[in-house]
Amino acid sequence: HVQLVESGGASVHAGDSLRLSCNAVNLNIATVCVGWFRQAPGKEREQVASIDSDGPTFYEDSVKGRFTISRDSAKNTVFLQMNQLQPNDTAMYYCAARRWQCTVVPSDFDYWGQGTQVTVS
């Protein structure tokens, strides 16, 4: 069965950087849309970035210029490089995959990872 495994979350200070990884099992990461979502306590899950199978990327306004999504097909992994982290970036971060073109709607995604916690103080 398909699995998405996130890693890289940590507790950091404002201004620090982190790189999150999303490794896919039994799914070719190059052929699907992969999105990174986050959910803070009491808030709805929101997409922060996505990368489509043919390359186009999307960034939510608050992370533009700070976050970069990329894909390493050889490793079957999608990364989220997060720079200049701020306290309001604190959330559980999830990667998700969708077999069709990317959207920003969480319910459109077919597969989800278990999440990795990012805490910025």
Side-chain angles (χ1 to χ4, degrees), residues 1 18 22 24 33 74 85 91 106-107 114:
H1 68 283
L18 281 175
C22 173
C33 161
L85 283 162
S107 60
Q114 81 288 351

Side-chain angles (χ1 to χ4, degrees), residues 10 18 27 33 59-61 65 106 120:
L18 281 175
L27 179 70
C33 161
Y59 296 96
E60 191 269 330
D61 283 347
V120 185

Side-chain angles (χ1 to χ4, degrees), residues 17-82:
S17 297
L18 281 175
R19 188 175 79 158
L20 305 183
S21 300
C22 173
N23 179 253
V25 178
N26 295 322
L27 179 70
N28 185 344
I29 210 89
T31 65
V32 297
C33 161
V34 175
W36 280 99
F37 293 77
R38 67 185 178 189
Q39 188 166 20
K43 294 189 175 181
E44 292 189 355
R45 191 169 296 191
E46 65 172 354
Q47 187 181 93
V48 295
S50 66
I51 183 165
D52 234 319
S53 58
D54 54 351
T57 57
F58 162 85
Y59 296 96
E60 191 269 330
D61 283 347
S62 70
V63 308
K64 282 181 182 176
R66 300 189 298 123
F67 290 12
T68 303
I69 190 169
S70 62
R71 178 172 52 219
D72 186 331
S73 297
K75 296 181 178 180
N76 212 32
T77 299
V78 171
F79 300 101
L80 184 68
Q81 177 67 41
M82 306 188 295

